[in-house]
Amino acid sequence: MKNNILAIVLARGGSKRLKNKNIKKLKNKALINWTTSVAIRSNKFCNIIISSDSEKILKTVDLYNDKILTLKRPKKFSDDKSTSEIAILHALKWYEKKFSKIDYIALLQPTSPFRTLKTINKGIKEISN
């Protein structure tokens, strides 16, 4: 039986130390798009949700694949005191209400552009056993 695994990418717009860090370019590609491209290439996820409070970030995402979904996150889940957990639960509830139940979630941070397919595959293997 194949597991229903959802990738969630949290990309808040209010970075304090490095303004707009999630859409900064690395080799002419926005940081967030490094994350979405490796997630798609892994072919492990039923969908990839980009959750952000920033329209600028959501508009930067390359939507070249129908597995990528964007979700405008409410400000109450995006301020300095909001946890990743609350943002993940918001995305999960939205997804399960609109699409289907999920077995597992993978949190892929846009600030980790050097994540490899090998790393994703190893993580999926660990949770699936």
Side-chain angles (χ1 to χ4, degrees):
M1 180 174 95
K2 186 175 183 205
N3 291 315
N4 219 11
I5 306 169
L6 178 66
I8 299 178
V9 181
L10 301 178
R12 195 169 70 102
S15 177
K16 299 291 183 224
R17 288 184 287 169
L18 184 58
K19 190 172 170 65
N20 295 315
K21 70 179 175 188
N22 293 309
I23 56 176
K24 292 280 185 199
K25 299 263 180 153
L26 177 66
K27 288 189 168 184
N28 295 321
K29 188 176 188 176
L31 217 50
I32 197 162
N33 289 324
W34 285 99
T35 295
T36 56
S37 64
V38 76
I40 290 165
R41 285 195 333 267
S42 77
N43 205 27
K44 300 289 184 188
F45 306 112
C46 56
N47 283 104
I48 302 151
I49 296 178
I50 310 302
S51 170
S52 182
D53 60 323
S54 166
E55 286 293 334
K56 190 173 185 178
I57 290 173
L58 294 175
K59 287 179 182 174
T60 300
V61 176
D62 288 336
L63 297 175
Y64 58 87
N65 189 291
D66 62 355
K67 286 189 176 191
I68 298 175
L69 305 169
T70 58
L71 175 61
K72 180 73 185 274
R73 191 176 344 143
K75 292 286 183 196
K76 68 181 179 180
F77 300 140
S78 300
D79 64 23
D80 288 342
K81 293 186 172 126
S82 298
T83 63
S84 294
E85 180 183 3
I86 196 86
I88 291 166
L89 288 173
H90 171 258
L92 178 63
K93 286 177 186 174
W94 172 81
Y95 185 87
E96 288 187 335
K97 184 177 180 182
K98 192 168 181 158
F99 297 100
S100 66
K101 291 287 183 193
I102 293 299
D103 297 315
Y104 299 103
I105 295 169
L107 176 63
L108 303 177
Q109 297 177 315
T111 52
S112 300
F114 302 115
R115 162 194 324 101
T116 64
L117 285 174
K118 184 177 178 180
T119 302
I120 290 175
N121 290 337
K122 184 177 178 183
I124 299 299
K125 185 178 179 183
E126 286 291 320
I127 64 170
S128 298
N129 287 336

